[in-house]
Structure formats: C-alpha cells, structure tokens
Amino acid sequence: MEFLRPATWGEALAAKAEHPSALPIAGGTDVMVELNFDVHRPSAILDLNRVAELAEWSQDGGVVRLGAAVPYARIIAELSGPLPGLALASRTVGSPQIRNRGSVGGNLGAASPAGDAHPALLAAGRDVCVEAASVRGTRLIPIDDFYTGVKRNSLAADELIRAVRVPVADGPQQFSKIGTRNAMVIAVCAFGFALHPGSGTVGTGIGSAAPTPRRAVEAEEYLRGVLAERGLWESGEALGTEVVQRFGELVKAAASPIDDVRGTAEYRRHALAVLARRTLAWTWNDYGKQIRSAA
C-alpha cells in the first residue's frame, strides 16, 4: 500500500489524478476502522492533513463555505449561529476525540446512510452543494444529487471534496437521533428539520432509514402548504395536533428502512414519526417566540 502525503491542494489533486483509487484520509475516524477490520484495503492512502485550507471555513453573505476537514468540534464551537442544525448534529457524533478529528467532508466521502451530518445538510435547503475538485477543474454538486447508493456518492474517481457550501440559517433548525445508547453510537435513525421563513419553505433530512440519506418531500410540501394557507409564517400561532401528527406520518412514509443489528424497519418508521413530531414542535415553538418578541 502506497502512502501519499501532499503538502498543498494542487499536489493533492495531482496525486489523486495519478492514483484514482487512492483513499483520502484526514480525520480517519471511518477509514481507520475499515482498515483495522480489513473491510477495505486500498492500493494507496492519500493523507490530506498537511493541506491547511481544508481545515478553514468562511462566510460570504448568506453562505458558509465549510472546508472538508473542519472538525465537528469547531463546527459546534464556531458555527452554532449560522448553521444550528449542523452544529446540533455534530454534538451527537462519537466521542470528544472523534469530534476533534472527524469532519463533514469525511461523512460525505463515506456516504453512509447513518452519517450524522447528512440529515442536517439536507434540511438546510436545496442550495446546499458539495464542492468537488480535480485537476480538470471544480464543480458544485447539489446535495440532493450527491448520494447515489449505499456508501456511494457522485464523485468522479479523480475528484476530492474541497468544501461544502451551506446557506446561513434564517430560521430555527433541529436535529434528533436515536441510538442503542446515549453516546458513542451509530444512529438507529435520525431526522433533521429546518424552517426557512425567507422562502416560505421547510427542510427535512432522514438518516439511517433508507439506502441513502433522503428528504421527506411530501411532508415538506404538506407543511409548506399549511403554513402558507393559514398565514402562520406571519402569526406564529400554534400548528395544532392534527398538523403535527400528519407531518410525522408523512415522514414515516418517506422512509424505506431495513432490519439490522441496530433495529427493525418497523421500529425505525415508528421512531422517525416521533422524531419528526418532536423536532417540528420544538422549531415551531422557537419560531413563535421570535415572532412574538419582534411584534
């Protein structure tokens, strides 16, 4: 196995072009597990830890450009304001040691349906995109097009993830996760939710309950219609039990889970409905408080 250690981004792209099968590593929280258990034995490892720009983030107007190797610990500490949903999801990742090493770029590269960052990214809006680069140039991949199958993504063989671009939140966001214990656990299922009052839309993200992370599209459209028809964006009044229950059922219907060692498909569907109802109630309660305080 070859070990490649570029010092710059240009060197990293050149190495990936020359060795398309090389496996990128930065935090290594997923890669090292697979190597240790002999699940994956790549021909080469591409160590990106010396590429400093991957561990940087910036905000330009209404968009945060998050470097692929910015660790979860820094997202929690530095981005809970502009990216609250992603910061909440980051809090549930592994242990403090893993949060200090793991990153959203690693989650995207692994493309596991159980990755904690995915539901929050999907819920953050359809303008979220992954910045993929190669020696041929850079392209932006919409988050909805990024996941192509179980642990598969739309990156070309010679591409690396440089950053992910996420709109700054203009409303409350939430993330909930169920596991077999309260920490250091892979999700049995997870749900991300966001209110986007600027566009009059809502965002959802389902994790660990389908072959890929996915949206609950019908649930989004249902709630968007209710909020618009009843003038609730302006009033912030209570949604009512019927709306909350219906939203939960539509989220449940959007999942296509399996039975595995962490939980049954039936349990995952039930749990998603509960998570959806709770996250909707929490975010709408926060939004109502904002409306009343601004009045």
Side-chain angles (χ1 to χ4, degrees):
M1 182 188 300
E2 290 190 74
F3 186 75
L4 312 171
R5 199 170 186 229
T8 67
W9 181 242
E11 290 179 4
L13 295 181
K16 185 61 170 168
E18 185 176 351
H19 304 271
S21 61
L23 183 63
I25 184 172
T29 57
D30 287 328
V31 171
M32 291 310 300
V33 172
E34 293 192 346
L35 290 178
N36 289 338
F37 284 92
D38 207 24
V39 174
H40 191 191
R41 191 61 57 180
S43 60
I45 293 289
L46 179 58
D47 179 9
L48 299 173
N49 280 288
R50 292 203 297 169
V51 184
E53 69 180 81
L54 295 180
E56 299 173 355
W57 68 268
S58 61
Q59 183 174 335
D60 183 8
V63 176
V64 170
R65 183 179 180 273
L66 182 67
V70 175
Y72 292 112
R74 285 185 55 202
I75 295 173
I76 296 166
E78 302 169 21
L79 290 166
S80 60
L83 305 180
L86 188 59
L88 286 169
S90 298
R91 290 180 181 276
T92 74
V93 174
S95 63
Q97 295 92 331
I98 292 174
R99 291 192 291 274
N100 277 318
R101 294 293 298 168
S103 66
V104 172
N107 241 195
L108 289 165
S112 166
D116 293 316
H118 307 313
L121 291 175
L122 287 167
R126 296 182 184 275
D127 291 334
V128 174
C129 57
V130 178
E131 189 177 315
S134 70
V135 293
R136 296 175 288 108
T138 300
R139 65 184 178 120
L140 299 179
I141 308 171
I143 193 67
D144 291 274
D145 300 333
F146 186 77
Y147 311 108
T148 60
V150 179
K151 296 189 176 182
R152 292 181 11 238
N153 59 48
S154 57
L155 291 174
D158 64 342
E159 285 184 319
L160 294 171
I161 298 171
R162 189 172 190 174
V164 58
R165 302 185 186 187
V166 188
V168 172
D170 66 341
Q173 301 182 355
Q174 272 290 343
F175 174 84
S176 289
K177 168 181 169 180
I178 288 179
T180 53
R181 57 184 182 179
N182 200 36
M184 288 286 289
V185 67
I186 299 173
V188 174
C189 63
F191 186 69
F193 181 72
L195 293 171
H196 303 297
S199 59
T201 61
V202 303
T204 61
I206 293 173
S208 202
T212 66
R214 63 170 58 165
R215 299 180 187 278
V217 176
E218 289 190 22
E220 291 180 2
E221 289 302 307
Y222 165 74
L223 188 57
R224 181 192 61 78
V226 169
L227 297 178
E229 291 167 11
R230 301 185 185 180
L232 295 176
W233 286 116
E234 294 74 26
S235 70
E237 293 179 358
L239 295 173
T241 302
E242 181 182 344
V243 172
V244 175
Q245 290 285 346
R246 178 61 177 158
F247 179 76
E249 289 304 307
L250 289 172
V251 169
K252 173 182 176 180
S256 56
I258 60 170
D259 298 333
D260 64 15
V261 295
R262 298 197 305 278
T264 65
E266 181 180 3
Y267 176 73
R268 284 184 162 99
R269 289 191 183 94
H270 166 76
L272 275 172
V274 175
L275 294 181
R277 294 196 300 267
R278 289 180 180 177
T279 54
L280 172 56
W282 295 335
T283 50
W284 192 254
N285 183 57
D286 288 343
Y287 181 72
K289 289 178 181 178
Q290 291 177 12
I291 293 295
R292 289 188 291 274
S293 65

